[in-house]
Amino acid sequence: MAVDTSRPLDPAAGAKGARGRIRNAGTPPRSRIRNALARHWYAWAMVAPVVIVIGLIIGYPLGRGLYLSLTDANEANVERTIGVNHIPATYKNVGLDNFKAILDDQVFWDRLGWTVTWTVCCVALTFSIGLGLAVLLNRRFAGRTLYRSLLILPWAVPAFVSVFAWRLLYNEKNGILNKVLEGGGIDAVPWLNDPTMAKASVIAVNIWLGVPFMLVALLGGLQSIPGELYEAAEMDGASPWQRFRHITLPGLRSVSSTVILLSTIWTFNMFPVIFLLTRGGPGDATEILVTYAYRLSFVNSPRDFAGASAWGVLILLILMLFAVVYRRSLRKQGEVW
Amino acid sequence: MRDQRRGPLASVGLHTTLVIASAVAVFPPLWLVVTSFKPKSEAFSTDVVKNPTLGNYRHVLGDTEFLTWFGNSLFIVVITTILGVFIAATTGYAVSRFRFPGMRPLMWLLLITQMFPVAILIVPLYNIMSTLGWLNQPISLIVTYLTVAVPFCAWMMKGFFDTIPVEIDESGRVDGLNPFGTFWRLVVPLAKPGLAVTAFYTFITAWAEVAYASAFMTGEDNLTLAAGLQTFVNQYTSDWGSMTAAAVMIAIPAALVFSWAQRHLVAGLTAGATKS
């Protein structure tokens, strides 16, 4: 009976399944449920752990976060226990006041502007560099494996360790970057202490961190493009640029769309780079939405739980909007996922 | 992959680009290693190493809580990786092979969880952990990291299982194995590259996570490496010698896992993340 469940995942089989269910429509609901259980319990058992984990650890906190964003909860009025005394929560519902306050405040729009700049710069440059290197590495030549290992090395180092390494390089008085510049007769650059330079510096570090993933994913994509396509194009006299434009890019489309979507989401939410490199400074020049929300709830005093949750809700809405728009534009181009 | 002839100029260009790129990729961690062998007073000298010393390492290992943090991190990461790989693999297999009610929403759910900013979950999670009495307990981080790593890994494993021919499952069924048996005995062994990538990703995620670790764990004894390292270089102190030595020792396990998984990375990601 359960054999039925293991139907391979191809569209034809799926369609058959759908038709089968319609045929069953006349049976009473309870036996339909029993039928479904009998057919699908293997599949459900296999996904159950994820559903439970996501449900408990993401679903519940998400609901609670949404709720907190509608209150005035902060460190002073949430439920807490001091010694043996249990103090009940005293925060109250304030409706959409938090959102109104945030959207009325220039701080949010400034942070949003910088977060978007940061995301676009990082993703665009990471993708271009990753693609360029992947194309180079996709040829046959001596030393290819060595180059590949060296180029994906940043991936092997935990991000926060790399960030500290960069702080060492960026150090204004004594860092090696400025020492080298000094040797060339150029004044020291305040890498992390000048708002504009700090922005460029954090972007550079994030690109450095992100290229290996792009490189590996795109290299994989390149290797799945059949070589005959290039041979045929070459016979027809296509220039290298034309081959890149008309074979490589379309061949990489499904890989690219996935990595661009993921890396946009990851960069938008990239916490450690900015938190560890500049703490959002100087001033709050490099603070993106996520680090700012974290600052509200864990750095500032008193901790503003409601405000941070409201920022979180806004970040989530922005990302979901982006994902929906992005997916729709892919669909128009004929991508299916 | 084509075998094509290049002019010498193109060849020089190719190698120059790759050498520069490799240097940029390798230099920061390399400089960290170099600095860690310098005496404290010379942390910022540009000489490669004048008088190499193990003083920083001795100091970090002997006089700080580094080993405790290391143990905390290792424990959390190993459990997270084992559970994470297992859960991601079964989920990936189910969505790859079975058509079942709830599959589409599940796929969406896995994608959407990628979008959750730390900011929205961290306060409620902090409150939950504190209610459960899990603050400063490894379990709080294990559970949290699973939710961070598993959705992406399941997504990646699905793509990977999609590349394993369905005939293999069918032959297993003919031999009388149930779906669990087929999965465990036939498919899992074939999916090793995918599992290696998943394990690597989970490991790196958990080993390098900063926000939750800084928020949930307090007190010298309970910190993980990510939080502990910050104590060497913060607003008040900047002990670059200890920081670099600690950083190198933190990077070593990650590098080991990486070199183990590296062979599989390209194959695994090709099949996985890219096809999803």
Side-chain angles (χ1 to χ4, degrees):
Chain A
M1 52 151 196
V3 173
D4 224 1
T5 332
S6 341
R7 205 179 295 126
L9 184 109
D10 70 273
K16 232 183 288 159
R19 234 177 287 131
R21 221 168 297 138
I22 292 164
R23 222 180 291 139
N24 285 344
T27 49
R30 183 174 305 159
S31 85
R32 228 161 57 207
I33 292 169
R34 203 180 303 142
N35 251 338
L37 256 180
R39 277 155 55 99
H40 301 298
W41 79 271
Y42 279 111
W44 282 337
M46 280 181 170
V47 300
V50 168
V51 174
I52 291 168
V53 169
I54 291 181
L56 289 182
I57 302 300
I58 299 188
Y60 175 73
L62 180 66
R64 180 127 182 103
L66 286 171
Y67 170 70
L68 280 178
S69 72
L70 301 174
T71 66
D72 60 356
N74 62 31
E75 198 173 10
N77 61 17
V78 291
E79 183 182 294
R80 61 203 184 280
T81 308
I82 299 172
V84 288
N85 297 321
H86 186 82
I87 301 164
T90 53
Y91 56 84
K92 56 187 187 303
N93 199 317
V94 294
L96 293 172
D97 285 3
N98 290 320
F99 293 97
K100 226 179 283 158
I102 293 172
L103 296 177
D104 277 344
D105 191 347
Q106 190 55 33
V107 172
F108 173 78
W109 300 103
D110 289 348
R111 296 284 64 83
L112 180 63
W114 159 238
T115 309
V116 170
T117 317
W118 145 267
T119 309
V120 171
C121 287
C122 285
V123 174
L125 289 169
T126 312
F127 182 78
S128 325
I129 297 173
L131 180 60
L133 291 172
V135 168
L136 291 184
L137 281 180
N138 195 36
R139 308 168 175 209
R140 251 175 232 279
F141 59 91
R144 193 165 78 127
T145 325
L146 176 68
Y147 283 128
R148 197 181 68 199
S149 312
L150 292 177
L151 285 171
I152 56 181
L153 187 101
W155 206 4
V157 183
F160 70 96
V161 169
S162 308
V163 170
F164 278 101
W166 276 97
R167 272 178 69 172
L168 199 63
L169 304 184
Y170 278 148
N171 193 288
E172 188 176 346
K173 262 195 227 125
N174 303 307
I176 181 125
L177 287 178
N178 278 342
K179 287 269 170 73
V180 170
L181 290 180
E182 209 176 284
I186 301 168
D187 283 344
V189 176
W191 298 105
L192 299 177
N193 294 327
D194 168 78
T196 316
M197 279 317 296
K199 286 178 175 172
S201 303
V202 289
I203 290 177
V205 172
N206 198 50
I207 292 171
W208 183 87
L209 284 170
V211 163
F213 172 78
M214 283 286 182
L215 174 65
V216 170
L218 292 173
L219 199 55
L222 285 178
Q223 286 172 357
S224 67
I225 302 175
E228 297 89 62
L229 286 180
Y230 288 101
E231 277 157 32
E234 230 166 319
M235 292 258 232
D236 294 344
S239 70
W241 169 248
Q242 283 173 324
R243 275 175 277 160
F244 178 75
R245 177 87 188 61
H246 296 290
I247 302 178
T248 310
L249 285 184
L252 284 178
R253 187 172 289 156
S254 73
V255 183
S256 318
S257 58
T258 309
V259 290
I260 289 176
L261 176 67
L262 280 177
S263 95
T264 304
I265 293 171
W266 288 340
T267 310
F268 202 90
N269 283 334
M270 177 55 77
F271 176 81
V273 170
I274 288 175
F275 182 72
L276 294 179
L277 211 55
T278 64
R279 298 259 158 187
D284 55 3
T286 55
E287 198 97 74
I288 55 172
L289 296 172
V290 173
T291 55
Y292 192 81
Y294 184 86
R295 184 198 277 204
L296 285 179
S297 60
F298 286 95
V299 180
N300 283 4
S301 183
R303 296 165 160 202
D304 181 3
F305 294 147
S309 301
W311 279 76
V313 172
L314 289 172
I315 296 169
L316 186 60
L317 288 178
I318 295 168
L319 282 175
M320 287 175 89
L321 190 71
F322 165 76
V324 168
V325 172
Y326 186 78
R327 193 164 171 246
R328 191 156 297 165
S329 79
L330 284 184
R331 264 219 194 121
K332 258 187 211 143
Q333 292 170 29
E335 287 291 323
V336 272
W337 73 265
Chain B
M1 294 304 286
R2 294 153 298 142
D3 205 9
Q4 53 156 241
R5 266 160 265 301
R6 254 182 309 273
L9 208 68
S11 217
V12 169
L14 174 74
H15 283 277
T16 317
T17 317
L18 288 173
V19 166
I20 294 174
S22 306
V24 173
V26 172
F27 186 74
L30 189 71
W31 193 245
L32 197 66
V33 176
V34 169
T35 307
S36 73
F37 289 109
K38 291 177 186 168
K40 223 167 234 153
S41 54
E42 292 172 25
F44 279 115
S45 77
T46 30
D47 307 318
V48 171
V49 186
K50 231 184 331 188
N51 345 295
T53 166
L54 289 173
N56 294 323
Y57 289 88
R58 222 172 289 133
H59 173 70
V60 169
L61 290 174
D63 309 335
T64 68
E65 295 292 326
F66 181 80
L67 284 176
T68 319
W69 304 333
F70 199 91
N72 292 341
S73 274
L74 200 64
F75 177 75
I76 291 170
V77 167
V78 168
I79 307 260
T80 309
T81 306
I82 293 171
L83 288 175
V85 169
F86 185 74
I87 297 178
T90 53
T91 309
Y93 183 72
V95 283
S96 163
R97 288 299 200 264
F98 306 148
R99 272 240 179 263
F100 57 92
M103 186 186 117
R104 263 186 176 276
L106 181 69
M107 297 289 287
W108 259 105
L109 193 67
L110 294 181
L111 182 70
I112 288 176
T113 49
Q114 295 287 315
M115 293 175 206
F116 287 178
V118 160
I120 192 171
L121 297 180
I122 196 163
V123 172
L125 272 175
Y126 182 86
N127 293 346
I128 293 171
M129 298 303 172
S130 114
T131 315
L132 293 172
W134 284 2
L135 285 181
N136 288 326
Q137 306 283 331
I139 186 166
S140 63
L141 289 182
I142 292 174
V143 171
T144 312
Y145 293 165
L146 280 178
T147 62
V148 178
V150 163
F152 177 69
C153 289
W155 194 263
M156 200 153 67
M157 287 307 297
K158 175 207 180 289
F160 200 82
F161 288 127
D162 283 348
T163 65
I164 296 176
V166 185
E167 288 78 45
I168 291 179
D169 302 51
E170 279 159 8
S171 74
R173 218 176 308 130
V174 172
D175 291 345
L177 287 171
N178 65 27
F180 291 124
T182 315
F183 169 68
W184 191 247
R185 299 226 199 127
L186 299 179
V187 180
V188 163
L190 286 174
K192 268 191 193 139
L195 294 173
V197 180
T198 309
F200 167 70
Y201 182 81
T202 316
F203 182 94
I204 279 289
T205 304
W207 193 249
E209 202 283 328
V210 176
Y212 292 114
S214 317
F216 291 175
M217 303 306 224
T218 49
E220 284 268 286
D221 288 351
N222 300 312
L223 296 185
T224 60
L225 292 168
L229 192 65
Q230 292 175 52
T231 63
F232 292 131
V233 179
N234 57 33
Q235 284 150 284
Y236 313 107
T237 58
S238 45
D239 182 355
W240 289 97
S242 306
M243 193 284 285
T244 50
V248 170
M249 289 188 279
I250 293 167
I252 287 172
L256 288 178
V257 172
F258 181 77
S259 58
W260 165 76
Q262 203 216 5
R263 284 180 297 138
H264 302 302
L265 276 181
V266 172
L269 261 184
T270 318
T274 58
K275 276 220 188 142
S276 55

